[in-house]
């Protein structure tokens, strides 16, 4: 699951997350992708695999957190940043808090299931022990179009 480490000067992290989202859509999964960088180097990337793995926790974010922890040999990702194509749900936001991710970058907001700016607002809770820096709206239009297209093709 972890690709070869690449220097950050050649990376487009949200572009890579979008590639993972497109690959997930190609597998019939909800098109969400995520990547994690450690000190600017790519250490994990994944797209949703809930259907493939028959696992409701196999969200892109959960998969990259697991892969990054395995890669670093630690349950803490304090020097890591995560890029996700959709606002994380409450489960994924909680995992990010537990992993102590440094920064969260996401593309499209998710008013229905989001757990960062919408819904549970995990990082705003008094019981949240760690809050990453949060940056939303990065390539939002591209991610939202991908999601709309995926769901509209399912409704026909």
């Amino acid at each position: 699951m972890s690709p070869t480490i690449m220097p950050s000067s050649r990376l487009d992290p949200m572009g890579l997350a979008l590639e993972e989202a497109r690959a997930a859509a190609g597998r019939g999964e909800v098109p969400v992708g995520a990547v994690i960088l450690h000190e600017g180097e790519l250490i994990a990337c994944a797209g949703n695999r809930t259907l493939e793995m028959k696992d409701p926790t196999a969200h892109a974010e959960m998969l990259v957190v697991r892969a990054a922890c395995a890669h670093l040999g630690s349950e803490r990702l304090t020097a890591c940043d995560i890029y996700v194509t959709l606002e994380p749900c409450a489960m994924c936001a909680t995992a990010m808090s537990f992993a102590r991710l440094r920064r969260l970058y996401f593309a499209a907001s998710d008013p229905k299931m989001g757990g960062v700016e919408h819904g549970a607002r995990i990082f705003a809770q008094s019981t949240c022990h760690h809050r990453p820096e949060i940056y939303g709206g990065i390539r939002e239009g591209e991610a939202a179009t991908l999601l709309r297209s995926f769901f509209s093709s399912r409704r026909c």
Side-chain angles (χ1 to χ4, degrees):
M1 194 167 307
S2 295
T4 305
I5 294 175
M6 297 171 58
S8 61
S9 62
R10 296 191 325 227
L11 284 180
D12 171 10
M14 192 58 77
L16 294 172
L18 285 161
E19 286 177 26
E20 290 291 334
R22 287 184 200 95
R27 296 188 300 272
E29 302 275 0
V30 174
V32 177
V35 301
I36 290 183
L37 276 60
H38 175 252
E39 297 178 351
E41 295 181 334
L42 179 65
I43 61 168
C45 57
N48 276 355
R49 293 186 178 276
T50 59
L51 299 173
E52 175 187 328
M53 298 174 82
K54 310 286 188 270
D55 179 355
T57 70
H59 291 194
E61 302 94 309
M62 299 295 283
L63 296 174
V64 293
V65 165
R66 290 177 189 141
C69 287
H71 178 83
L72 296 174
S74 175
E75 75 284 6
R76 299 285 186 249
L77 302 174
T78 57
C80 294
D81 304 327
I82 187 168
Y83 292 76
V84 187
T85 59
L86 183 64
E87 176 184 350
C89 70
M91 173 184 69
C92 294
T94 301
M96 290 174 197
S97 177
F98 288 166
R100 308 292 196 266
L101 280 158
R102 179 175 56 186
R103 293 183 195 104
L104 161 62
Y105 299 90
F106 69 89
S109 292
D110 187 354
K112 184 176 179 183
M113 294 297 295
V116 176
E117 292 181 341
H118 298 90
R121 293 186 168 100
I122 294 299
F123 302 126
Q125 301 302 316
S126 61
T127 55
C128 182
H129 296 287
H130 173 77
R131 294 165 182 84
E133 295 174 28
I134 301 166
Y135 304 92
I138 300 159
R139 295 176 76 169
E140 181 174 15
E142 193 172 347
T145 298
L146 179 61
L147 285 156
R148 274 193 302 274
S149 174
F150 176 82
F151 286 113
S152 70
S153 72
R154 297 283 188 258
R155 291 184 189 114
C156 295

